[in-house]
Amino acid sequence: MDSKNIVLNVNGIEVIYNHVILVLKGVSLQVPEGGIVAILGGNGAGKTTTLRAISNLLKGERGEVTKGTIELRGERIENLSPADLVKRGVVQVMEGRHCFAHLTIEENLLTGSYTRTSKGEIAANLEKVYNYFPRLKTRRTSQAAYTSGGEQQMCAIGRAIMANPSIVLLDEPSMGLAPQIVEEVFNIVQDLNKKEKVTFVLAEQNTNMALKYSDYGYIMESGRIVMDGAADYLASNEDVKEFYLGVGGGERKSFKDVKSYKRRKRWLA
Ligand SMILES: Nc1ncnc2c1ncn2[C@@H]1O[C@H](COP(=O)(O)OP(=O)(O)OP(=O)(O)O)[C@@H](O)[C@H]1O
Ligand SMILES: [Mg+2]
């Protein structure tokens, strides 16, 4: 990765919850401008915590970054409020979508422009979102509670786009959605990336789908990055396939165990 193009640089961060529980144990990752970077790993690996550390949304969870630095275009951002980060173009889409159930799709989208004041700009952003998500346009007057899971995920991403972001942090966009809808959502993400130059960082348990749509991936386990590489490299890597893509079968142990087991096998061969 060309270091000149790094827009987000997470350097050795530790995160502690409730003053005692060490959850991130020195996580480093780099996000290039205009890239789609996936953070992969199973339940509790630390993906959400990593995204929340970047967007400074840990406080509500009684979490804090106790070591390391996070830089946006070379500038430290650990102490900026979530609203300041939104103004600088960093917007997070939370796990579980979090649309306001009693608001319509359009009202939900408009809540995403709270950092914007120009009516013209807000209207233009709304048109832009409808252009990328035609489904949302047809559902604009529906209450979010009565829309499908896919539409709610689209609404959550659309709301982020309303803030004119340069980086969107997407937490488990595929969660609970049928494969076809996941593809639809990821295709739009890719479109926004290409045409609007939005950089994406996505946390995903769905390794297969995430690697299909991203350029680079980091695999997390127990609060550490255990492997990283170009998406096509990871997708074809034997250890990743065996452990995360369900090829090879067998009991799932730790990724680290799979790797050392393989190494041992190689030594013995
Ligand atoms: N508010 C919290 N207080 C204490 N521990 C927490 C809190 N939130 C998360 N954790 C713990 O931190 C670890 C990492 O959780 P995190 O939610 O970041 O993982 P994840 O990779 O996003 O998992 P999932 O795929 O299930 O969403 C887990 O062990 C979890 O139990
Ligand atoms: Mg999570």
Side-chain angles (χ1 to χ4, degrees):
M1 240 186 261
D2 186 350
S3 64
K4 279 188 304 228
N5 294 331
I6 299 304
V7 57
L8 190 65
N9 187 8
V10 176
N11 189 16
I13 58 167
E14 279 188 7
V15 168
I16 292 184
Y17 282 117
N18 296 317
H19 304 292
V20 285
I21 312 159
L22 178 64
V23 168
L24 296 191
K25 302 157 185 166
V27 168
S28 297
L29 55 92
Q30 279 86 40
V31 179
E33 185 98 59
I36 303 183
V37 169
I39 302 177
L40 307 165
N43 272 322
K47 304 180 298 297
T48 296
T49 304
T50 303
L51 294 189
R52 283 177 177 270
I54 296 168
S55 54
N56 210 345
L57 288 170
L58 283 170
K59 270 202 195 80
E61 303 287 317
R62 296 174 53 83
E64 58 176 329
V65 177
T66 50
K67 249 190 206 167
T69 57
I70 305 173
E71 289 169 9
L72 177 69
R73 297 186 185 89
E75 205 183 320
R76 299 272 296 266
I77 57 167
E78 305 96 86
N79 296 318
L80 294 185
S81 69
D84 279 338
L85 283 164
V86 172
K87 282 187 196 140
R88 282 166 200 242
V90 181
V91 180
Q92 173 151 2
V93 177
M94 305 267 220
E95 195 170 41
R97 308 193 256 280
H98 293 285
C99 286
F100 299 108
H102 59 287
L103 298 184
T104 66
I105 291 290
E106 186 152 302
E107 286 164 344
N108 265 286
L109 291 175
L110 289 171
T111 64
S113 51
Y114 70 97
T115 57
R116 306 274 140 192
T117 45
S118 147
K119 275 192 178 156
E121 191 188 2
I122 293 171
N125 281 347
L126 193 58
E127 265 327 291
K128 181 166 78 182
V129 169
Y130 285 148
N131 192 24
Y132 283 95
F133 298 95
R135 263 174 187 258
L136 294 183
K137 190 164 190 174
T138 55
R139 303 289 265 145
R140 67 200 295 173
T141 58
S142 307
Q143 230 181 298
Y146 300 111
T147 61
S148 71
E151 285 159 353
Q152 286 177 30
Q153 182 63 68
M154 290 177 196
C155 179
I157 299 173
R159 189 170 57 186
I161 297 301
M162 289 296 289
N164 262 349
S166 56
I167 304 181
V168 175
L169 311 170
L170 273 186
D171 200 354
E172 304 268 1
S174 78
M175 198 202 276
L177 303 181
Q180 196 191 336
I181 307 294
V182 176
E183 295 261 11
E184 195 178 330
V185 170
F186 273 122
N187 271 315
I188 299 171
V189 164
Q190 217 168 34
D191 234 25
L192 284 162
N193 172 255
K194 286 214 178 74
K195 295 183 191 147
E196 304 295 327
K197 311 284 179 229
V198 179
T199 300
F200 283 91
V201 183
L202 43 107
E204 263 296 346
Q205 285 203 30
N206 190 337
T207 308
N208 215 350
M209 205 65 99
L211 287 177
K212 187 171 161 191
Y213 287 93
S214 53
D215 321 305
Y216 201 90
Y218 289 88
I219 298 179
M220 288 191 80
E221 194 175 290
S222 312
R224 291 194 171 86
I225 308 275
V226 290
M227 190 173 188
D228 66 293
D232 46 2
Y233 164 78
L234 292 180
S236 61
N237 178 280
E238 290 302 319
D239 292 342
V240 176
K241 275 205 272 194
E242 180 172 342
F243 194 63
Y244 288 107
L245 302 179
V247 185
E251 189 192 336
R252 279 191 169 200
K253 291 186 291 179
S254 152
F255 185 58
K256 276 178 283 183
D257 292 342
V258 173
K259 283 179 74 177
S260 57
Y261 160 72
K262 286 217 156 180
R263 235 176 275 132
R264 232 179 304 136
K265 212 164 57 169
R266 245 173 255 140
W267 280 110
L268 292 173

